[in-house]
Amino acid sequence: VDVLPFSAARALSVHRASGSLALVSLDQGRPLAEIPVGAGAFAVALSADRSRAVATCRDDGTLAVVALRGDTLERTASVAVGPEPRGVALARDGRRAYVALAGADAVAEVDLDAGRVVRRLPVGVEPWHVALSPDQKTLVVGNTRSRDATVLALPSGALRH
């Protein structure tokens, strides 16, 4: 389970076993909505305006794109990203996602409006986690097997270290 609280009263949660994404009421301690997103749902990220979420689906190599409207969730797209997608970071405007591909030692940059991977950025061995800096100019990738972090400059994708 990956949980992303985004207000005092709401959180998003992915469930690996059921391959679902849930919108959870923290006040009531129960799901308000739940939808299937894909096999082995692993991580979730939310746009700054809270209108779009993305969830990685490890077992089927996809990124689910989900619209949030009030207390409802609607899966709007599924993008094939590559082997073993793990962590995901979403650009502030909700138009680009960065997906750690543990099975490819890379990060997929996904144009969510076009519904496709625009490039793969090489990183360390078996990346699991990604984070964007507040200014959106740096992407940090945590690599599990190489036990290090890759730091990339954006938008170029150049290796900083």
Side-chain angles (χ1 to χ4, degrees):
V1 175
D2 185 29
V3 178
L4 176 67
F6 63 88
S7 75
R10 300 281 188 272
L12 290 171
S13 175
V14 290
H15 304 274
R16 286 178 193 88
S18 64
S20 64
L21 174 69
L23 175 63
V24 179
S25 167
L26 299 176
D27 296 331
Q28 300 170 22
R30 65 174 184 84
L32 299 171
E34 188 168 359
I35 60 169
V37 290
F42 190 84
V44 62
L46 181 65
S47 63
D49 68 1
R50 301 178 181 166
S51 68
R52 176 183 270 177
V54 292
T56 57
C57 302
R58 182 193 67 204
D59 297 347
D60 61 13
T62 62
L63 180 71
V65 183
V66 176
L68 282 79
R69 294 182 185 94
D71 288 343
T72 64
L73 301 172
E74 178 189 356
R75 183 172 159 182
T76 58
S78 180
V79 181
V81 292
E84 292 184 58
R86 301 284 182 156
V88 60
L90 194 55
R92 188 178 300 116
D93 65 7
R95 299 179 70 195
R96 295 266 174 180
Y98 298 89
V99 180
L101 299 176
D105 301 336
V107 169
E109 181 178 346
V110 182
D111 179 328
L112 296 173
D113 293 334
R116 66 182 186 88
V117 174
V118 293
R119 64 180 168 172
R120 280 192 181 180
L121 303 167
V123 297
V125 181
E126 200 174 325
W128 272 42
H129 303 285
V130 292
L132 275 168
S133 64
D135 66 4
Q136 309 280 285
K137 293 181 180 179
T138 303
L139 183 70
V140 180
V141 183
N143 305 301
T144 302
R145 295 242 181 208
S146 55
R147 297 182 181 181
D148 60 11
T150 303
V151 182
L152 302 169
L154 294 177
S156 70
L159 181 65
R160 286 197 175 156
H161 52 252

